Amino acid sequence: MSYLKTLNSTDVVITPFEVNKEFSFLGPLVVITEAYGDSEYGVGTYGGETTLNNTINQNYIDRFLAVDTPQANFFNTGTEPTTGDFISYYQKLVFNSIKQLYYSNFTTSSFGDTPSTASLVPGVNSEADRFTGPITSQGRFYNFPQTTLTASRYFPTESEATLGVMSIPSKLYGDHIQPTSFYLKFSSGSSNSIFYEITDDGEGNLLLNNTNCGNIIYNQGIVVLTQSSSINNSLFATDFVSASNISCSFSSSFDIYETQYKCTIRANEYNYSLNPSLLKNFGQNEILLSGSNEYHNFVTGSDFSPYVTTIGLYNENQELLAIGKLAQPLPTSQTTDTTILINIDR
């Protein structure tokens, strides 16, 4: 038999905890593989399809070449160069988007542009006090900082500046990419004999041979390669986008919420059992009321305590939502409170 007891808000605790999963990609269009260090590199591009509820979801990791192409006339959708293996975008629009979102404060200084401010000069003219000085928005943008330290981002501003951009879908990285977990390796040269290994420093910076070569935005799955001290920037980005021998690995991060229900049995509660097996005439269809002398003698003694085997959670309509089974029957106490904790992940 069962008893009902209402849980208060203080009896319910919701706690988030972070889970991680590591992903490694070689590409689905593998023609050959060659060993390099402890990894294998597939000839092809990243990609994959998962079926959820009979719907195919794209899990493609795409690469884009972003170029600040000169624009003498209006933007021509028919002649502007495009980029992308799975989704096609215009190279110039990708460049402008990356610049606006992540580098608009770093166009004149790698440590961020000084915000332009105006000064209030009393009585500057006969009308009233007026602001004088620059009123532009330079240095005032939010560029998604990945660290609490002073950010340092390099952005190329030369003619036809080139960037390499990787876009990781949120289905793969969850809430964000785990800092220090990103690893990228790709080939260069006609014989694919040179490999570049890139890691992140945990502060949003990408490192090639211990020098900064770009940035990673952990919570958006965006990787931007901006420079290389060993080769021309445009060739570095082009090699990244066109490389056939390429691999990528990272750890995703996702918050799972655990709800804990605290079910407390007071010392003066649940000290009586309605289990029909305690009746002397059990099995003879006898219906006996509480306090009947037809219970077994050991039940009516003051030392008797019922056992708890199952906890059920009900909603306000007394509909059963969840059942928790104890590993072994738990006796209730007549002198101290008994607390049972139920944890449910969601």
Side-chain angles (χ1 to χ4, degrees):
M1 300 298 289
S2 62
Y3 298 90
L4 293 178
K5 184 175 181 179
T6 302
L7 297 179
N8 300 319
S9 59
T10 56
D11 298 323
V12 181
V13 178
I14 300 177
T15 306
F17 65 93
E18 184 179 286
V19 294
N20 305 112
K21 181 178 181 180
E22 183 176 358
F23 290 92
S24 297
F25 293 89
L26 301 177
L29 307 178
V30 177
V31 179
I32 61 174
T33 59
E34 61 176 305
Y36 186 83
D38 296 328
S39 304
E40 288 184 336
Y41 294 83
V43 177
T45 50
Y46 303 132
E49 293 181 348
T50 58
T51 302
L52 299 174
N53 299 325
N54 298 324
T55 301
I56 295 179
N57 294 271
Q58 305 297 329
N59 284 334
Y60 294 130
I61 298 179
D62 213 344
R63 294 172 287 170
F64 303 98
L65 185 67
V67 183
D68 188 19
T69 56
Q71 186 174 333
N73 301 311
F74 291 107
F75 190 89
N76 190 326
T77 58
T79 60
E80 285 288 339
T82 59
T83 181
D85 292 314
F86 304 104
I87 301 176
S88 181
Y89 294 112
Y90 293 105
Q91 294 180 4
K92 185 174 182 63
L93 296 186
V94 175
F95 184 92
N96 290 340
S97 296
I98 294 297
K99 177 182 178 180
Q100 175 65 31
L101 289 173
Y102 311 118
Y103 294 94
S104 52
N105 286 343
F106 301 87
T107 54
T108 63
S109 172
S110 60
F111 291 99
D113 302 330
T114 302
S116 300
T117 58
S119 300
L120 178 63
V121 180
V124 69
N125 53 39
S126 58
E127 295 180 2
D129 301 338
R130 288 291 184 268
F131 282 103
T132 61
I135 56 174
T136 65
S137 58
Q138 178 180 328
R140 298 179 179 178
F141 294 99
Y142 181 77
N143 290 149
F144 301 94
Q146 302 299 298
T147 176
T148 56
L149 303 176
T150 300
S152 175
R153 295 183 184 180
Y154 166 79
F155 188 78
T157 57
E158 65 272 11
S159 177
E160 297 192 52
T162 304
L163 307 172
V165 180
M166 173 184 285
S167 177
I168 302 174
S170 60
K171 293 185 180 69
L172 296 180
Y173 68 78
D175 293 329
H176 62 268
I177 296 174
Q178 188 73 9
T180 71
S181 70
F182 182 78
Y183 176 81
L184 175 68
K185 181 180 281 189
F186 61 91
S187 63
S188 176
S190 57
S191 61
N192 291 327
S193 58
I194 302 175
F195 281 85
Y196 296 98
E197 295 185 74
I198 297 174
T199 58
D200 79 283
D201 65 353
E203 302 291 345
N205 301 307
L206 295 178
L207 303 179
L208 173 64
N209 299 326
N210 293 323
T211 59
N212 191 298
C213 67
N215 299 97
I216 178 172
I217 312 301
Y218 298 114
N219 56 352
Q220 296 188 9
I222 297 295
V223 176
V224 183
L225 299 183
T226 58
Q227 65 177 337
S228 171
S229 59
S230 58
I231 60 175
N232 180 275
N233 288 352
S234 61
L235 293 179
F236 179 58
T238 302
D239 283 343
F240 162 69
V241 174
S242 61
S244 56
N245 287 347
I246 183 169
S247 71
C248 171
S249 64
F250 58 89
S251 291
S252 65
S253 180
F254 188 74
D255 285 339
I256 294 179
Y257 292 88
E258 181 182 74
T259 303
Q260 183 179 86
Y261 297 90
K262 184 175 68 173
C263 304
T264 301
I265 304 174
R266 303 298 179 188
N268 60 343
E269 297 177 330
Y270 301 110
N271 54 14
Y272 183 80
S273 176
L274 295 179
N275 193 321
S277 63
L278 299 178
L279 300 175
K280 291 182 178 180
N281 296 324
F282 175 64
Q284 301 180 17
N285 296 325
E286 288 283 345
I287 301 178
L288 300 176
L289 301 176
S290 174
S292 170
N293 59 6
E294 294 299 323
Y295 279 90
H296 288 289
N297 293 333
F298 72 89
V299 177
T300 59
S302 59
D303 294 333
F304 173 78
S305 295
Y307 284 69
V308 179
T309 60
T310 305
I311 300 293
L313 298 179
Y314 295 79
N315 61 11
E316 60 275 7
N317 297 323
Q318 297 189 6
E319 297 172 334
L320 182 61
L321 302 179
I323 296 178
K325 292 284 188 179
L326 276 67
Q328 59 185 15
L330 176 68
T332 59
S333 174
Q334 297 183 10
T335 57
T336 59
D337 295 344
T338 303
T339 299
I340 301 174
L341 301 179
I342 301 177
N343 297 325
I344 299 178
D345 296 337
R346 62 180 176 88

